[in-house]
Amino acid sequence: MDRAALAAFLRTRREALQPEDIGLPTGARRRTRGLRREEVASLAAMSTDYYTRLEQERGPQPSEQMLAAMARALRLSTQERDYLFQVAGRNAPSPTTTAAHVAPALMRVLDRLDDTPALILSNLGEVLVQNRMSRALMGELTVYTGHARSEIYRWFTDPAQRRFYPEHDHERQSRAMVANLRAAYGQMGPKSRAGELAAVLCKESAEFAELWERQEVAKRFVDHKVLIHPELGPIEVDCQALFTEDQSQALLVLTAAPRTEAFEKLQLLGVLGNERFPVSS
């Protein structure tokens, strides 16, 4: 671990970012250039003290998860992310695996989406980052670990995962999940994390195993769907997907038609955020 190189790189990349680059208001005149340390720490979901110590060459060696979080917070390119890993004494993520690094181009779009739910997914169905409206609509989806990081795995192993969709839509959703994983399997190979996930699910879910045998391949995101919020009930949304060039990540944007009940529900979520609504008796 090259502490001096790591500290200098973090500091210069932080100073190169402006608040508007990450969707924050510029606000009053700032004493320092770029983002504040506490802003980067918040974006990376770590303590300000931890991040500050890294910039001051005093911190411990960051884990791969911490490095990936800082790369996202600082909007690093793939080459910059790899350099960050290397000076921190870690191996850069392999291009044949699904990395937690978010494509900067998708992040720039997400940063500017504040009034509608949006999230970025890997090709294994792992939610890499959400905006506040997405968290208000679907809850925090970045907290899972292991195989459960994939919404595909959760769909076939955790019945609670299906509560967000109407029952009549479960069969279509199951087929879409499997077809998406088959596409990732073809792209990444049998010895990849896609292959591992498919093998695990074939053992744990008879439904998945049957659908996997159909050999359906597609990157499916339905244009129109109904999501069920625990307090507001069904919300009809239109879904638009923007893929990276290598198809490994997708930005999903959910909108509702103006002057509809769904539009009003999303506006209410925007005001109340993650607050839980009282359950009527």
Side-chain angles (χ1 to χ4, degrees):
M1 177 179 173
D2 187 335
R3 294 181 183 276
L6 176 62
F9 186 66
L10 290 175
R11 184 173 59 256
T12 55
R13 297 316 304 157
R14 173 176 61 81
E15 292 174 349
L17 278 177
Q18 298 301 318
E20 57 268 26
D21 294 335
I22 60 169
L24 293 176
T26 303
R29 184 176 179 181
R30 295 180 169 227
R31 295 181 179 178
T32 58
R33 292 181 298 169
L35 298 182
R36 299 185 178 98
R37 286 171 175 165
E38 58 265 29
E39 290 171 333
V40 174
S42 177
L43 290 169
M46 62 180 61
S47 72
T48 301
D49 178 68
Y50 180 92
Y51 179 80
T52 298
R53 284 187 290 143
L54 290 177
E55 279 203 7
Q56 295 177 344
E57 303 180 30
R58 298 186 296 114
Q61 183 182 33
S63 67
E64 293 180 357
Q65 292 78 9
M66 283 291 192
L67 291 169
M70 286 188 287
R72 287 196 299 271
L74 293 169
R75 308 307 193 247
L76 301 185
S77 67
T78 302
Q79 292 75 26
E80 290 169 335
R81 175 209 63 188
D82 290 351
Y83 178 80
L84 175 67
F85 271 70
Q86 290 158 359
V87 296
R90 303 287 186 182
N91 292 325
S94 168
T96 60
T97 63
T98 301
H101 182 63
V102 179
L106 295 188
M107 282 299 304
R108 286 194 293 270
V109 178
L110 183 68
D111 287 337
R112 286 154 177 78
L113 296 173
D114 185 62
D115 61 349
T116 193
L119 62 158
I120 297 175
L121 290 164
S122 76
N123 57 356
L124 296 185
E126 300 163 330
V127 176
L128 304 178
V129 63
Q130 300 172 266
N131 67 3
R132 67 177 188 90
M133 286 290 290
S134 172
R135 290 191 293 271
L137 178 61
M138 295 177 283
E140 180 60 67
L141 300 176
T142 63
V143 296
Y144 297 98
T145 59
H147 294 309
R149 287 189 61 206
S150 169
E151 65 172 359
I152 303 171
Y153 180 84
R154 299 196 306 274
W155 180 265
F156 289 100
T157 61
D158 182 3
Q161 181 70 17
R162 304 195 177 198
R163 70 185 184 276
F164 295 109
Y165 290 85
E167 187 172 353
H168 66 77
D169 197 32
H170 287 182
E171 181 179 355
R172 181 210 57 78
Q173 186 72 357
S174 293
R175 290 182 62 186
M177 292 276 189
V178 177
N180 282 337
L181 182 56
R182 176 68 73 175
Y185 179 90
Q187 179 185 23
M188 301 171 67
K191 295 183 179 181
S192 66
R193 290 181 57 227
E196 178 185 351
L197 185 59
V200 169
L201 281 171
C202 279
K203 294 179 180 179
E204 296 189 18
S205 169
E207 179 189 8
F208 176 89
E210 190 274 328
L211 291 173
W212 187 251
E213 289 300 315
R214 295 188 187 184
Q215 301 286 330
E216 293 182 339
V217 184
K219 289 184 179 295
R220 294 178 174 173
F221 295 102
V222 174
D223 292 338
H224 187 80
K225 63 175 64 178
V226 176
L227 298 176
I228 301 177
H229 187 270
E231 279 78 33
L232 295 182
I235 303 177
E236 294 187 37
V237 294
D238 293 312
C239 178
Q240 298 295 324
L242 175 64
F243 290 92
T244 54
E245 185 175 357
D246 63 1
Q247 301 284 297
S248 65
Q249 294 178 6
L251 168 65
L252 300 187
V253 182
L254 306 176
T255 61
R259 296 177 296 279
T260 63
E261 181 182 4
F263 183 80
E264 293 177 356
K265 288 181 178 180
L266 289 183
Q267 284 189 313
L268 182 57
L269 282 177
V271 172
L272 299 181
N274 292 330
E275 293 183 14
R276 303 295 294 179
F277 297 92
V279 179
S280 58
S281 57

